[in-house]
Amino acid sequence: LERLYVSANSLTPVSTVPLGNALRSLTALRRLRCADNQLDLYGALAFAAGLRSATALEELDLSGAELGLEGTTEFAGALSRMPNLTFLLLGRNAMGDEAAATLSREIASLSLLDTLDLEDNMIGESGAIAFTVALPGMKALRSLNLRENPFGAVAGIALGQALAKLTRLEELVLSRMDLCDEGVDAVGAGLETLTNLRVLDLSANRFGDEAAEGLGRGLKSLGRLRLLNLADNKLSNPKALRDGLARLRALEQLDLSGNELSAEGAEALSGALGELTSLRVLKVAEGNQISDEGAEALAEALLRMPSLAVLCLSGNDIGDSGAYALGEGFQKATALHTLFLHDNNISSTGATGLSLGLADLKELHTLSLYDNPLEDDGANSLSAAISGLAFLQHLDLQGCGIGDDGMKGLAQGIRRMPSLRSID
């Protein structure tokens, strides 16, 4: 037997003990997946004993197995018997600092390890420091997921220094780790050697403009990066990110939602965005306040973003002048298929300007404008513009103050939209 997949089967320690005993004879086993079961300490003991014989093992998934501190510690002792291990998933096991330190010492011996997932394991500063000591030895690592572990700023600094050694890394997920300004600044320095990185997630780390300088320097080296997630932080006017962003010529997805971006911040970044001709997804949604001036700057960038397919600018108070500017930008962004502009204080006047560009978005299939005071005149303007969009499937106009006259106009437009599936 080379492959054994028993994930999500409600296994308990009672059923795991005989399974662990059976593992002792499976010396040719290469792939074992036992995620989302309830092993806890006793199951881990049985599994660890069995796995000591699985010296050919290459892939192991024990995500969500409820190992806890003691179970993880027992399991860690078996890792030294798996020299061929390349794929290790241990997320969601509530291991804590002590077990993380023990595990880190054992993982350091796995010279072939390619993928490591320790997501959501309650690893705080002390466990994180132990992990960062072991991390430089994992030189084959290409994917590392540490999200939802409260490393904090101090461990974040150590992490940044360790990351610099992982030159093969392609995917790095560090979201929700409380890294703050100091930690993210250090991670930015570590990024300078990670020239193979394709995915970088630093969302929800509570860092602001102070970290932008270090992060911006690191981004300059990431010419192969395709996805960058900086959502749910405290960026307001991150001018220092501009030059780094402009170097990301392969970037396809950028998320800046849930920050505190001001009009000045949007203007600072827009020049860089105009250089990202491969960008397909741009999110600058809820939490930001780029207002009309920021929207106007982004509209200019749209003129140089021919590949953009998804644009999320909801909750930014762009107003009528911002909507007008976007309408002009849409005339060049003809690849757009998904557009979210809800909750932006766009009235009938702005809808008129927006409609000028909407008519050119022939690939559009999703349009969200809810919670804008469009009223009847705005609805009529939109109806005339979108009636020619043959691929439009989803239209959301809830809370737009549209009365009988506007509904009549929409009804007439709907008759000419054969692909429409839902209207909210």
Side-chain angles (χ1 to χ4, degrees):
L1 188 68
E2 294 187 354
R3 185 178 73 180
L4 177 59
Y5 290 177
V6 290
S7 295
N9 269 301
S10 301
L11 296 182
T12 65
V14 174
S15 55
T16 305
V17 170
L19 183 58
N21 292 334
L23 286 175
R24 300 185 185 192
S25 63
L26 302 180
T27 56
L29 192 66
R30 295 172 57 198
R31 297 179 179 86
L32 173 60
R33 300 195 177 183
C34 189
D36 298 311
N37 287 297
Q38 300 174 26
L39 304 189
D40 68 36
L41 173 59
Y42 297 104
L45 284 169
F47 250 61
L51 287 173
R52 285 184 169 85
S53 300
T55 55
L57 204 63
E58 297 174 4
E59 298 182 9
L60 178 59
D61 184 359
L62 289 174
S63 304
E66 300 185 12
L67 297 178
L69 188 158
E70 294 177 317
T72 302
T73 302
E74 289 296 332
F75 163 74
L79 284 176
S80 61
R81 305 293 296 273
M82 306 175 199
N84 298 312
L85 202 64
T86 62
F87 184 90
L88 179 59
L89 305 186
L90 289 173
R92 299 178 287 111
N93 273 297
M95 63 179 66
D97 288 341
E98 183 179 340
T102 302
L103 182 68
S104 297
R105 290 191 290 271
E106 299 297 335
I107 290 177
S109 66
L110 302 177
S111 60
L112 300 180
L113 195 63
D114 173 279
T115 300
L116 177 61
D117 186 342
L118 296 177
E119 172 185 349
D120 191 13
N121 265 306
M122 296 166 38
I123 303 174
E125 184 176 304
S126 61
I129 294 292
F131 177 75
T132 59
V133 171
L135 191 58
M138 306 177 202
K139 296 188 182 301
L141 209 60
R142 291 195 301 172
S143 177
L144 176 61
N145 182 3
L146 297 173
R147 75 185 300 268
E148 291 198 66
N149 285 295
F151 273 37
V154 173
I157 294 172
L159 178 62
Q161 296 169 347
L163 287 172
K165 306 293 184 180
L166 306 182
T167 56
R168 295 186 181 182
L169 206 61
E170 296 181 6
E171 180 177 3
L172 180 59
V173 179
L174 303 178
S175 59
R176 301 184 182 279
M177 293 177 62
D178 294 330
L179 298 180
C180 303
D181 286 327
E182 298 88 347
V184 172
D185 185 73
V187 168
L191 293 177
E192 295 181 28
T193 61
L194 306 187
T195 56
N196 292 307
L197 205 63
R198 266 73 166 175
V199 174
L200 175 60
D201 187 348
L202 284 168
S203 59
N205 270 296
R206 300 190 295 119
F207 69 89
D209 296 345
E210 291 182 17
E213 186 172 350
L215 182 56
R217 285 197 302 270
L219 292 179
K220 290 180 181 180
S221 302
L222 307 185
R224 298 181 181 180
L225 196 69
R226 295 185 178 180
L227 185 153
L228 177 59
N229 189 351
L230 301 178
D232 300 319
N233 287 298
K234 296 182 178 181
L235 295 170
S236 174
N237 188 9
K239 295 180 180 179
L241 282 181
R242 180 172 51 199
D243 292 343
L245 278 176
R247 300 281 189 92
L248 305 181
R249 301 301 174 87
L251 196 67
E252 297 179 359
Q253 298 183 49
L254 174 61
D255 194 346
L256 290 164
S257 300
N259 277 281
E260 300 171 359
L261 278 181
S262 62
E264 293 80 9
E267 290 172 356
L269 295 179
S270 292
L273 293 176
E275 302 295 324
L276 307 182
T277 55
S278 296
L279 198 66
R280 301 189 71 255
V281 178
L282 175 60
K283 298 179 180 180
V284 191
E286 281 81 5
N288 295 300
Q289 286 294 317
I290 66 171
S291 72
D292 54 350
E293 294 178 1
E296 289 167 9
L298 287 176
E300 291 183 15
L302 287 177
L303 297 174
R304 303 190 300 278
M305 300 165 68
S307 300
L308 196 66
V310 177
L311 177 61
C312 302
L313 291 177
S314 53
N316 271 293
D317 196 25
I318 67 172
D320 292 336
S321 58
Y324 252 99
L326 287 175
E328 294 177 359
F330 292 156
Q331 295 176 38
K332 295 292 184 180
T334 53
L336 270 176
H337 62 64
T338 300
L339 179 59
F340 291 99
L341 292 175
H342 47 266
D343 189 20
N344 263 307
N345 198 28
I346 300 171
S347 73
S348 58
T349 302
T352 300
L354 193 63
S355 298
L356 297 176
L358 285 176
D360 293 313
L361 304 183
K362 301 300 183 183
E363 303 297 320
L364 198 67
H365 64 62
T366 299
L367 175 60
S368 176
L369 285 165
Y370 70 81
D371 285 345
N372 283 296
L374 304 178
E375 300 184 335
D376 289 347
D377 289 344
N380 287 327
S381 296
L382 285 173
S383 177
I386 65 178
S387 61
L389 304 182
F391 299 108
L392 191 65
Q393 298 178 16
H394 308 288
L395 177 62
D396 194 340
L397 296 173
Q398 295 183 87
C400 288
I402 301 172
D404 293 341
D405 184 58
M407 285 298 175
K408 288 178 182 178
L410 284 172
Q412 292 176 357
I414 289 169
R415 296 192 185 101
R416 297 191 293 273
M417 290 185 277
S419 298
L420 200 61
R421 295 180 180 177
S422 67
I423 301 177
D424 296 317

